Amino acid sequence: MIPTAWRQQLQSWFLRFAAGGWLPARWFAAPPPPPAARAAREGPLTLEIVSHCWNYSHFLAYQLSSLVQFPPERLAVTMTVFHAPEDTRTQALLAYFADQHVPGVTWNWRELPREQLFRRGIGRNLAAQQTDADWIWFTDCDVMFRAGCLDALARALQGRRDALLFPREERITPLLAEDDPMLVRGAEPRLVDIDDSQFAVKTLKRATGPMQITHGDVARACGYCPTLRLYQTPADHFCKAYEDRAFRWLLGTGGNGIDVPGVYRIRHVFKGRYREDRASSRLRGAIRRAKSWLGERLAGHRRP
């Protein structure tokens, strides 16, 4: 009998192969509702933003602070954070922000057993199927929504029926070390802000894991990879989110770009949420730094 870990690794390789476009998505899930069946809502809209946090409270502090410091005026936001009780720093941070009353923002903390939190597709699927929002933004806790971001998004969403959208640009930091002052400032429960001079503009060609803005009718109908069993299976460590690519494959689109200013993302070398030994962690960090160095030179990032 094949051990569970090996079986899941084989399933992961197969699903990554399939989601690369080598197999038809309709073999695995029904298509999303056609555009005519999706509401083209105008006027005041509702948006649910969905994050996961495990040992990343020093990033989440910036995300939640951005909603306090730049509250939306043109749409109502529900900020959903999936977390686990063992992550006491995140618990303390969420308790602090629960007392921050922000016009247009509703805090929605959703506790999961950590084995379910560790497979991000589980929480995203719950949020997708249960949301009552017009649109849902699947993101990561190192993303910030700064000045003008959410109100520009509200304008861009008027009357649209797209299954999936993404911001054409994001502003990103270099790869930051764990002792970088920006990360240290976010270590305690409090409001924090950034020095945006550290950020450079990056152009996006398609939706990515933290930049997936999905029509609410599509999210409710399709969920987040619910028919791909591996991506709904609890795990004993935080898994890499290969389901994001599968989600786009099942929707049949890489998304359509829209102009949304004020999207910022903190990049960092050490992936603290993953289970790794020190040697492999150092190796992954070196690879990320090398890829970042090469990417910046090939892509020609420009300063805002």
Side-chain angles (χ1 to χ4, degrees), residues 177-195:
E178 197 71 0
D179 60 354
D180 186 276
M182 181 184 295
L183 305 188
V184 173
R185 282 197 300 273
E188 298 298 327
R190 59 180 173 177
L191 286 172
V192 287
D193 203 358
I194 59 170
D195 173 8

Side-chain angles (χ1 to χ4, degrees), residues 32-191:
R38 308 170 198 161
R41 293 191 173 87
E42 298 181 346
L45 301 177
T46 56
L47 171 73
E48 182 170 1
I49 300 173
V50 179
S51 276
H52 276 62
C53 190
W54 173 255
N55 291 337
Y56 273 11
S57 61
H58 49 318
F59 300 104
L60 184 62
Y62 282 95
Q63 181 170 84
L64 301 183
S65 292
S66 72
L67 293 174
V68 176
Q69 293 157 345
F70 307 102
E73 297 180 359
R74 295 177 175 267
L75 80 171
V77 171
T78 296
M79 180 69 227
T80 297
V81 178
F82 286 98
H83 62 102
E86 293 87 348
D87 184 354
T88 56
R89 287 189 174 184
T90 296
Q91 296 280 63
L93 182 74
L94 296 179
Y96 172 82
F97 276 93
D99 291 332
Q100 303 293 317
H101 301 290
V102 185
V105 176
T106 300
W107 306 124
N108 182 33
W109 313 148
R110 298 193 60 172
E111 186 174 287
L112 288 177
R114 65 178 182 176
E115 293 79 11
Q116 293 184 26
L117 185 77
F118 290 164
R119 185 80 70 178
R120 196 176 66 180
I122 294 176
R124 286 192 171 189
N125 185 53
L126 289 172
Q129 293 182 333
Q130 297 171 8
T131 189
D132 58 4
D134 300 320
W135 294 84
I136 182 168
W137 187 334
F138 299 107
T139 194
D140 289 341
C141 62
D142 50 13
V143 173
M144 292 166 282
F145 313 98
R146 290 179 54 78
C149 173
L150 294 174
D151 288 335
L153 177 62
R155 290 190 292 270
L157 294 178
Q158 294 296 310
R160 299 195 70 137
R161 292 190 172 96
D162 310 59
L164 183 65
L165 299 168
F166 64 91
R168 289 195 177 96
E169 291 183 347
E170 62 174 343
R171 285 159 174 77
I172 60 174
T173 63
L175 285 173
L176 303 180
E178 197 71 0
D179 60 354
D180 186 276
M182 181 184 295
L183 305 188
V184 173
R185 282 197 300 273
E188 298 298 327
R190 59 180 173 177
L191 286 172

